[in-house]
Amino acid sequence: MDETALRPTALLVMEEERRPDVYPPEVLAGIDRLVDRQGPPLTRQQLDDHPDVLHRTDILLTGWGAPVLDAAFMSRAPGLRAVLVAAGSVRHLTTPAFWARDIPIVSAAAANATPVAEFALAQILLGLKQVHRISRDVADSHLYPHNPKVPGAYRSRVGLLGLGHIGRLVAAHLSRFDVEILATDPLADADTAQESGVRLVGIEELFATCHVVSLHAPLLPETRGSIGASLLSSLMPGATLINTARGALIDEEAMAEVLRARPDLTAVLDVTHPEPPVPGSPLFTLPNVVLTPHLGGAMGAERHRLGHLVLDELGRLVRDQPLRHAVDPAHAASLA
């Protein structure tokens, strides 16, 4: 028998703009050694125009711009046996019709966590030195402060809201420094906290006692707008708030009021809601807001990591080995 006839077929569907970064030539070459790709990659719109191609698809490879795996999609893909997503969250594309088929779906959230955690670590260290606040003071006064009082990375306290992929990785980075790490996560147990080297506390203690608070929680109905005036007002003098998670976690109107009243505070916002902020938003003009355009996420060549993770999982799939990054359906709704 021709062994090539036993090779599964795979279809790559994602947006064009980021596809060369996510699936660079070496990743595509590795994929082609494992499966038969069904022609050139498609965008979601192109797939909508030619849905019959799904009838022959065993494995869906995707990333940003993934198709929604709804009942119509699943009915057109009777032989689908796995979905491999070279992006972080799969919550927006999975549906009950997908989960009902009991098909594994792989997320590259672990690879996407790396640059976000690196960005957060950099901002945490800058926050402990109160770099943004002091640079504002220097620009305003044209004077250097004498012996400024900053927490620094010595026996200071850092708070992490969320201990998912990114929160745990940030905690691992911080373990190299002489800081105390506090965390709030209703889903984390004592074993997870101990493994991450953190002390679990309530959210009020996290905000009121940490020199820097870094947000890594998923956006869920119960977390939307949960960071409001009370928590923000309780931040320590000179504290820094960092958001690399989801902009809608914060009540931004309340945050703007607190930041106006507390010029000692700094908010480093790599995400906002909406993104970018609406024209005229005070986030553009408040001096103690640092806005960055989602730089924490995988950019350029950093996206290669996601494609390599998918390639590794594809190899495990075709060799009937256990997948390392399959999403647990029981926990899918709580993921970012």
Side-chain angles (χ1 to χ4, degrees), residues 74-298:
M74 300 307 295
S75 68
R76 295 184 180 111
L80 190 66
R81 49 182 280 208
V83 178
L84 279 63
V85 185
S89 176
V90 301
R91 191 154 57 96
H92 63 290
L93 59 99
T94 52
T95 68
F98 170 77
W99 294 117
R101 285 271 294 272
D102 196 25
I103 293 170
I105 184 167
V106 163
S107 163
N112 198 48
T114 298
V116 181
E118 292 169 348
F119 182 91
L121 174 65
Q123 294 297 337
I124 288 168
L125 295 176
L126 290 174
L128 291 174
K129 284 287 191 178
Q130 297 193 3
V131 167
H132 298 302
R133 177 185 66 80
I134 292 174
S135 66
R136 291 195 301 271
D137 293 345
V138 169
D140 289 342
S141 67
H142 295 192
L143 296 172
Y144 280 13
H146 174 68
N147 192 26
K149 303 300 183 184
V150 300
Y154 180 69
R155 299 188 179 178
S156 49
R157 186 173 283 179
V158 176
L160 305 178
L161 182 62
L163 283 177
H165 283 299
I166 298 170
R168 293 195 304 273
L169 190 51
V170 172
H173 288 327
L174 287 170
S175 68
R176 296 176 288 159
F177 301 91
D178 196 355
V179 298
E180 183 183 7
I181 312 169
L182 274 57
T184 298
D185 190 325
L187 299 180
D189 55 23
D191 290 340
T192 299
Q194 183 175 12
E195 291 170 3
S196 300
V198 308
R199 178 163 67 89
L200 290 175
V201 298
I203 193 169
E204 291 82 8
E205 181 177 350
L206 189 86
F207 273 76
T209 68
C210 290
H211 300 96
V212 176
V213 175
S214 188
L215 307 186
H216 304 289
L219 181 60
L220 305 170
E222 58 268 30
T223 62
R224 181 178 293 271
S226 59
I227 312 304
S230 177
L231 289 173
L232 296 166
S233 297
S234 73
L235 286 166
M236 296 175 63
T240 298
L241 174 72
I242 301 165
N243 191 6
T244 56
R246 293 289 187 268
L249 293 172
I250 301 175
D251 179 342
E252 291 183 347
E253 184 176 348
M255 177 175 61
E257 291 301 315
V258 171
L259 292 175
R260 286 190 188 98
R262 293 278 307 275
D264 60 297
L265 300 178
T266 299
V268 178
L269 307 177
D270 194 47
V271 290
T272 59
H273 182 74
E275 193 173 300
V278 297
S281 168
L283 299 183
F284 284 120
T285 54
L286 280 166
N288 47 349
V289 171
V290 178
L291 285 178
T292 54
H294 221 123
L295 295 179

